[in-house]
Amino acid sequence: YILLPFVLIAKEPDLGTAAILFLTGFAILFIIGVDKKIWLTLIIAFVASSPILYENMHDYQKKRIADFISEEPNYQVKQAIIAIGNGGIYGKDRDEATQTHFKFLPIATSDFIFAYNIERFGFYGGLFLLGLYGALITHLLSLNYGLKNDYFTQVTTTGIAALIFVYVGVNVSMTIGFAPVVGVPLP
């Protein structure tokens, strides 16, 4: 059930969203409590099929991986890191936020909106934003304690919490250069 949407979305091609749904599906399997033999089989199958998956990627997807592995980050990540550093502790006014105001930071309204928010609102603004995401995820997971008899709702709320966690983690990681740029916006 997890592989069907993964394959369909990856064929579009939107490998970033496909990978996030793939990770979320496995997070739900972890919550459900799948047997260790199934996990071992899935890990072996993934490792064995990795070269085939890599060869079937588009050239721009391979370039993103190569840019991530290289010593120097690509243009987008450089500009995002400059925007984050430019924000400082308290942030800058709209006219003083040079990376976004002069459009050095590409796709600042979706893929790199985290860097934009930190440039505008600083370290404390970024910390506040991540705190709000943390509070939302904690609230969703806390619903499991009140809904002990409703297994479907537990799996659903945990799946939504995992989806938000993975989206935020991937977006923030790619913005600061800890993950390849996959074109995933901050939810």
Side-chain angles (χ1 to χ4, degrees):
Y1 293 117
I2 296 170
L3 291 178
L4 179 64
F6 172 77
V7 169
L8 291 174
I9 294 170
K11 287 285 185 188
E12 287 188 17
D14 189 359
L15 189 60
T17 302
I20 286 177
L21 290 177
F22 188 73
L23 290 173
T24 303
F26 282 110
I28 292 171
L29 285 180
F30 181 76
I31 297 301
I32 290 173
V34 176
D35 189 20
K36 292 178 184 177
K37 293 177 185 177
I38 295 174
W39 281 112
L40 185 61
T41 304
L42 291 171
I43 290 169
I44 290 171
F46 177 74
V47 169
S49 66
S50 293
I52 298 167
L53 292 172
Y54 183 77
E55 286 303 317
N56 289 326
M57 286 181 165
H58 294 279
D59 290 337
Y60 73 92
Q61 293 168 334
K62 290 178 183 178
K63 184 176 179 346
R64 287 178 178 176
I65 292 173
D67 287 345
F68 172 67
I69 294 172
S70 70
E71 290 183 22
E72 190 171 321
N74 64 6
Y75 176 78
Q76 295 169 319
V77 175
K78 278 185 198 175
Q79 297 305 321
I81 291 170
I82 291 170
I84 290 169
N86 192 25
I89 298 291
Y90 301 108
K92 304 260 182 185
D93 289 335
R94 175 175 271 189
D95 295 333
E96 294 177 13
T98 57
Q99 296 304 107
T100 53
H101 183 70
F102 296 118
K103 305 211 185 293
F104 290 120
L105 181 63
I107 318 170
T109 57
S110 62
D111 292 355
F112 288 92
I113 197 163
F114 184 72
Y116 168 76
N117 281 329
I118 292 188
E119 186 177 27
R120 288 278 288 118
F121 304 109
F123 174 76
Y124 289 134
L127 200 60
F128 179 71
L129 180 65
L130 291 177
L132 287 176
Y133 280 119
L136 176 62
I137 292 167
T138 303
H139 173 69
L140 287 169
L141 292 175
S142 71
L143 292 175
N144 290 338
Y145 293 109
L147 305 166
K148 290 183 180 180
N149 297 331
D150 192 356
Y151 192 67
F152 176 76
T153 306
Q154 283 183 335
V155 171
T156 302
T157 56
T158 303
I160 293 170
L163 184 67
I164 293 170
F165 177 78
V166 171
Y167 259 104
V168 170
V170 167
N171 183 275
V172 170
S173 296
M174 79 174 190
T175 300
I176 60 176
F178 286 166
V181 177
V182 292
V184 174
L186 197 64

